[in-house]
Amino acid sequence: MAIVDSKSGARSFTPVTGENETTKYAILLKHIGLTAMLLYSYAINAQDRQQDPSSTKPPATTKSGLAIEEVIVTVSKRQESLQEVLGSVSAISSDTLQRNNIQDLNSLVELIPGMVAQDEENIAIRGISRTRNGPSPVAFHVNDVFIATRGEPFYDLGAIEILRGPSGTLFGRNATAGAVNAKWQRPDATWGIGGDARYSGLKDEQVRAYLNIPFLGEDDTRLLGRFAVFKRRGDGTIDNLLASDAGDPGNVNDQFFRLFLTSEVTDNLQLALRAIRYESNPKGTQAVFSPTLETRRSGQLEELGAQPLPNDVTKVRSRIKQVFGKPYSESTRIDGDVTWAMHDLPLFGDVDMVLVGGQMRGDIVIDFDLDGTEEPIVDTSVKSNDDIRRTAELRFASHNNNGLDWLFGLFWYKQTSTTALHVDARTLIAPSGLGVGPSFTGEPKIVVDVDVDVDGERRLDQSKAAFLNVDMDLAQLFDLPQVTISVGVRQNRDTFGLTTPRSDITLSVPRLPGFNIPAVQSRNLKQFAEFDETTGELGARWFYSDEGMFYTKFARGYKPGLAQRVDRADGTSVQNPVDPEFLNALEAGWKTSFFDRSLQMNIAAYHYDYTDLQVSQITPGGVLTDNAGSSTIDGFEVELHWSPTAAFYLQASAAWTDATYDKYCGTDTALGEVQTDPGCTDANPTSFAGARMTAAPEYSAALLASYTFNLSDFGTLTPSIRSSWSDELDRRGLGNPNDTVRSHSTSDARLTWESPRQYWSVSAFVENIEDNNDIFFSAFTPIAVGAKPDTFSLSNNIPPRIYGISLEARF
């Protein structure tokens, strides 16, 4: 973190754990334990090595106080101060990411108000979450390039920016909830080498390193390079009783190699080229769900042939690896950007042209054991080959000091992939349902295996957009108060297509060998959907002083629909084009600072009108995405950064989210037999009006604090604490008590020693102090179709308490 003397402007760098990021207030601090971390990091230039070691020691509190350094973000598609951005934005610095072991979205969201991770692909912001088979409402970017998925583990990043709320102009589709942009650390003009090593519980072993090269000599920016490598392995958080620790579900074995080249060809022309190869090859199964305690005790799993499971939800009995083989994920991404500063253009003045784009190609095999037993009650294997994603964005942005700035852009994205799906399911069906004998009251059910095979499904997802944003400074244009009006509009066109050469469902009875029924045999299925929508925003910012700004904005968000077909085991099929969902958002906020900018505070309140939201329905033939009616979301967020001295730093946040359905008629197999509620239909009989939406806790809070002790010639010693608390939340948003995740807190503590010249640092730490690893954030039901009471399984639990050390060095 950099601390700035507000009068002199002098900076000194101190090894505290946070800076340049907005995060949550922690209401709950529990189980503060001794920490530490052994760090092995990165290089400072030759001139820095010769400086007086005392110059890196934290100064005493200045007479006028200490100011938090200004944070520059790019969520507005141009460089802008965080405190001047229109809307709610959090920026997490490289220092905070590294010192707090934030390596993925699961750990990142604990610092962001109103943000919840059900897993790394299912991120909810302000109560807006992803449906089981639908697109994400969060637009994921790396280095401003849209990648549509979460990307690789975090390492050697310059910052991560999180936009909360719809951005109908700049991000368009898939930004109903917001957007995330991870930015790699750019090469600089000095030699540098560094890395770190970490060891902790769950046999977590990690080595990371990077190298910075000025190819044409120091201080020559014509060609700079930065290389980064990452290697990690560790055990999962679920114990498979039928495998060794190395074969446990969710274990980690991944690595990447990364290259970042930049060139300042001239003062007006800058080029960047990036490439990464990421591989994840766990020895165990990637995804094994854990049956709930109620399901384990119900006897339903034993009725379907499984052995009894212990009354410990962290233990399962899975043979899925022996059935489907080894899972893996491999991807290669190449992208880059060109920035050309054009000056004194006729009519336009100074304009920056920015072109960003690239391609990602990947292959993946994921196996799911949704029942957590040795029997094929619900086992799935998904193979995706030739997943190719190409994207490009061309922007023109004015830079004129005349009170009128504009930004015009064109966006293009295309994804194609080929997928094979195999599902083994075991269920209970009455003989009459198989065409054997008549139906009668009290008819017994028999065990039936259902095999689903979908081969060669070809997917097309394409998006095109044009957008325009205009900022008008009324003070410069008309000599009015310091108010800036922002207007934006975006035209979106999205197309989806699915071509399926073969889709078969076969029924068999395990106790009657050779009794097979080809229930569904479909060939050459084609689905197509196209959406053409306009989104945008209107906002105003009043800069009432150098330290403060009020803003208000209206934004319209949009997530496209889907082309969808579901084949049912009874021989019928559902052709269900899913409509787009829309979000009309009103937000007002206050961004300010106090005490010579040593205290920074951001407050936001919002009201969402959410219509045609996409939800998941589980049917006998698969998961169906449908449109619910509507919902209303209201919320309030506050974020705080405080540095009263150079040694002490605190950042905190709190959020209130009221997210419930206004109108939603649907089905939930977990409810059993239900009557049709007033206003609903027999096909969708249950009214979920008033139910809290998925992954939307009413209250949440977080705190990150550190204090640095100056040890003179022995360096510095920094204890730090990070804690987050969440009110209870609903896993599926259907008001079922079995889906409730209890309120909980998670806390980390660490103790870091850093050498006088900041070449070395050593840490010891304890993470997840509360040790509540029986909390799971995702649920699947039913895992035994036809069983009553219904059966639940859970995934994505909090890791147990972990102790560890790490070492970092920089030269």
Side-chain angles (χ1 to χ4, degrees):
M1 168 180 173
I3 301 297
V4 184
D5 187 314
S6 59
K7 286 191 174 180
S8 68
R11 297 179 183 176
S12 65
F13 289 82
T14 64
V16 295
T17 36
E19 181 204 350
N20 298 349
E21 69 276 356
T22 42
T23 50
K24 323 179 206 169
Y25 287 0
I27 285 202
L28 199 46
L29 279 177
K30 287 168 104 169
H31 309 293
I32 301 177
L34 228 272
T35 61
M37 162 176 140
L38 239 213
L39 296 154
Y40 181 69
S41 141
Y42 166 80
I44 49 181
N45 58 45
Q47 180 180 356
D48 289 334
R49 296 188 197 120
Q50 301 303 319
Q51 66 184 5
D52 181 357
S54 65
S55 67
T56 66
K57 298 176 183 178
T61 305
T62 61
K63 198 170 184 179
S64 61
L66 293 162
I68 297 173
E69 186 180 26
E70 182 181 34
V71 180
I72 303 299
V73 296
T74 58
V75 293
S76 59
K77 300 295 179 81
R78 62 170 84 227
Q79 290 191 347
E80 192 171 12
S81 170
L82 178 66
Q83 293 302 98
E84 297 180 358
V85 172
L86 179 63
S88 299
V89 178
S90 296
I92 311 300
S93 71
S94 173
D95 179 74
T96 297
L97 294 169
Q98 180 154 332
R99 291 184 180 276
N100 291 277
N101 191 39
I102 300 172
Q103 297 186 12
D104 51 36
L105 288 168
N106 263 344
S107 52
L108 173 69
V109 299
E110 295 180 1
L111 296 176
I112 311 300
M115 197 169 179
V116 175
Q118 290 190 273
D119 57 52
E120 286 194 57
E121 297 288 353
N122 295 297
I123 305 299
I125 300 178
R126 293 177 171 177
I128 302 174
S129 60
R130 181 179 185 174
T131 55
R132 193 181 300 274
N133 283 354
S136 171
V138 179
F140 295 109
H141 296 73
V142 176
N143 300 309
D144 295 322
V145 178
F146 178 66
I147 61 171
T149 55
R150 60 181 173 85
E152 63 276 355
F154 301 157
Y155 174 59
D156 196 33
L157 299 183
I160 296 179
E161 299 171 358
I162 302 97
L163 171 65
R164 302 190 303 281
S167 179
T169 300
L170 299 179
F171 294 99
R173 59 164 275 180
N174 295 96
T176 321
V180 175
N181 184 25
K183 300 192 293 187
W184 295 357
Q185 190 74 264
R186 292 185 65 85
D188 59 49
T190 59
W191 286 91
I193 185 171
D196 58 58
R198 167 189 161 109
Y199 182 82
S200 66
L202 294 178
K203 298 181 180 178
D204 180 19
E205 301 172 353
Q206 176 180 280
V207 177
R208 308 182 297 184
Y210 63 85
L211 173 66
N212 194 91
I213 303 176
F215 288 101
L216 302 180
E218 291 201 351
D219 300 323
D220 191 330
T221 59
R222 288 178 297 168
L223 184 60
L224 306 175
R226 194 176 185 93
F227 303 85
V229 294
F230 175 103
K231 174 67 176 177
R232 175 182 60 179
R233 63 183 180 185
D235 290 345
T237 58
I238 299 295
D239 181 15
N240 185 4
L241 300 176
L242 302 182
S244 64
D245 287 346
D248 280 341
N251 70 355
V252 176
N253 182 21
D254 57 356
Q255 59 189 5
F256 71 63
F257 175 81
R258 202 172 76 192
L259 166 67
F260 192 172
L261 299 175
T262 62
S263 174
E264 294 188 13
V265 181
T266 67
D267 291 340
N268 299 332
L269 182 61
Q270 299 180 6
L271 310 176
L273 177 65
R274 297 171 290 266
I276 182 170
R277 171 68 173 178
Y278 174 51
E279 298 178 358
S280 178
N281 299 293
K283 295 179 180 179
T285 304
Q286 286 175 310
V288 175
F289 283 40
S290 171
T292 63
L293 186 59
E294 293 76 13
T295 297
R296 292 166 184 254
R297 293 173 173 174
S298 68
Q300 298 294 333
L301 299 179
E302 288 84 344
E303 186 176 355
L304 293 170
Q307 296 296 313
L309 287 170
N311 292 330
D312 182 346
V313 293
T314 65
K315 298 184 183 299
V316 297
R317 299 173 58 88
S318 177
R319 298 187 188 275
I320 190 171
K321 182 182 176 183
Q322 287 80 1
V323 175
F324 290 126
K326 184 178 179 181
Y328 66 88
S329 175
E330 300 174 349
S331 66
T332 301
R333 189 174 71 250
I334 300 176
D335 60 58
D337 56 73
V338 179
T339 302
W340 181 18
M342 300 177 287
H343 300 294
D344 300 324
L345 296 180
L347 299 178
F348 297 107
D350 294 344
V351 176
D352 282 353
M353 186 199 77
V354 179
L355 175 64
V356 298
Q359 173 178 291
M360 183 172 75
R361 181 185 294 267
D363 296 308
I364 187 170
V365 175
I366 304 179
D367 300 330
F368 297 91
D369 184 348
L370 297 175
D371 58 274
T373 74
E374 72 282 3
E375 295 296 325
I377 298 175
V378 184
D379 295 348
T380 303
S381 179
V382 181
K383 299 180 181 180
S384 180
N385 300 317
D386 297 325
D387 185 346
I388 302 174
R389 309 179 189 194
R390 299 183 177 96
T391 184
E393 184 170 285
L394 176 64
R395 302 193 299 268
F396 298 89
S398 69
H399 288 279
N400 299 306
N401 190 27
N402 59 4
L404 183 66
D405 274 312
W406 53 268
L407 185 148
F408 173 75
L410 298 171
F411 171 80
W412 177 83
Y413 171 76
K414 183 177 181 180
Q415 177 188 5
T416 58
S417 62
T418 302
T419 302
L421 169 70
H422 180 80
V423 180
D424 290 331
R426 182 166 290 177
T427 185
L428 297 169
I429 297 180
S432 60
L434 299 174
V436 180
S439 174
F440 57 90
T441 302
E443 181 183 4
K445 294 181 178 180
I446 61 174
V447 176
V448 175
D449 284 339
V450 181
D451 294 331
V452 180
D453 282 292
V454 179
D455 284 342
E457 182 177 78
R458 188 71 175 172
R459 173 181 176 176
L460 169 67
D461 178 359
Q462 188 164 332
S463 180
K464 301 176 183 178
F467 56 93
L468 173 68
N469 189 83
V470 179
D471 291 336
M472 294 172 286
D473 187 334
L474 302 187
Q476 283 188 280
L477 291 173
F478 308 110
D479 198 24
L480 294 174
Q482 294 287 334
V483 174
T484 299
I485 304 295
S486 298
V487 181
V489 64
R490 183 183 185 107
Q491 183 63 36
N492 306 275
R493 174 166 291 181
D494 298 285
T495 57
F496 293 87
L498 285 174
T499 302
T500 307
R502 182 176 71 89
S503 178
D504 293 342
I505 299 179
T506 303
L507 305 182
S508 61
V509 180
R511 296 173 185 175
L512 297 175
F515 186 86
N516 297 320
I517 302 175
V520 177
Q521 292 183 335
S522 301
R523 299 292 183 269
N524 298 319
L525 304 175
K526 294 185 179 180
Q527 303 159 71
F528 181 80
E530 186 173 48
F531 308 95
D532 197 340
E533 302 292 343
T534 301
T535 57
E537 57 191 12
L538 172 65
R541 289 169 283 176
W542 174 34
F543 298 91
Y544 63 87
S545 71
D546 291 339
E547 287 78 29
M549 179 265 282
F550 289 106
Y551 73 87
T552 183
K553 65 180 292 189
F554 168 82
R556 181 170 173 82
Y558 145 80
K559 188 170 76 172
L562 299 170
Q564 179 177 250
R565 175 191 172 105
V566 175
D567 294 319
R568 291 173 168 166
D570 61 4
T572 63
S573 63
V574 176
Q575 288 277 9
N576 181 46
V578 182
D579 293 332
E581 62 180 30
F582 296 95
L583 178 66
N584 293 324
L586 286 171
E587 181 174 329
W590 180 31
K591 300 183 179 184
T592 189
S593 61
F594 304 97
F595 312 121
D596 288 337
R597 294 184 292 117
S598 63
L599 175 64
Q600 186 180 94
M601 182 175 67
N602 296 338
I603 295 175
Y606 57 89
H607 171 79
Y608 287 176
D609 181 15
Y610 195 14
T611 58
D612 285 330
L613 54 156
Q614 297 165 10
V615 294
S616 295
Q617 304 278 6
I618 297 178
T619 74
V623 179
L624 181 71
T625 300
D626 205 351
N627 293 102
S630 61
S631 69
T632 299
I633 305 175
D634 295 303
F636 180 85
E637 299 166 350
V638 59
E639 300 173 289
L640 180 74
H641 296 259
W642 184 38
S643 183
T645 73
F648 178 69
Y649 179 76
L650 179 147
Q651 68 179 48
S653 66
W656 168 70
T657 308
D658 183 15
T660 57
Y661 296 109
D662 296 331
K663 181 180 178 182
Y664 174 18
C665 289
T667 60
D668 180 11
T669 59
L671 296 176
E673 299 296 331
V674 297
Q675 294 182 343
T676 302
D677 292 334
C680 296
T681 65
D682 291 340
N684 293 296
T686 306
S687 174
F688 299 110
R692 178 163 290 277
M693 296 172 65
T694 305
E698 185 172 7
Y699 298 101
S700 60
L703 173 75
L704 192 154
S706 64
Y707 191 89
T708 299
F709 294 93
N710 183 5
L711 305 180
S712 187
D713 293 339
F714 297 97
T716 59
L717 189 66
T718 304
S720 61
I721 179 72
R722 176 170 69 106
S723 184
S724 63
W725 173 83
S726 171
D727 199 0
E728 66 178 30
L729 59 88
D730 195 299
R731 297 186 185 97
R732 295 186 302 138
L734 299 179
N736 191 313
N738 290 316
D739 281 316
T740 299
V741 178
R742 70 178 184 266
S743 61
H744 61 279
S745 66
T746 56
S747 304
D748 301 345
R750 59 194 67 234
L751 184 66
T752 302
W753 171 83
E754 191 159 21
S755 65
R757 292 186 178 181
Q758 299 181 325
Y759 294 161
W760 298 90
S761 62
V762 180
S763 289
F765 54 84
V766 54
E767 297 175 346
N768 303 306
I769 297 172
E770 291 83 349
D771 197 28
N772 44 15
N773 64 323
D774 60 340
I775 292 179
F776 292 76
F777 291 99
S778 295
F780 183 87
T781 181
I783 57 173
V785 179
K788 298 298 176 192
D790 206 9
T791 46
F792 277 73
S793 62
L794 307 173
S795 67
N796 193 31
N797 63 320
I798 296 176
R801 184 184 302 125
I802 295 173
Y803 299 90
I805 59 173
S806 61
L807 167 68
E808 181 181 0
R810 40 184 157 196
F811 301 98

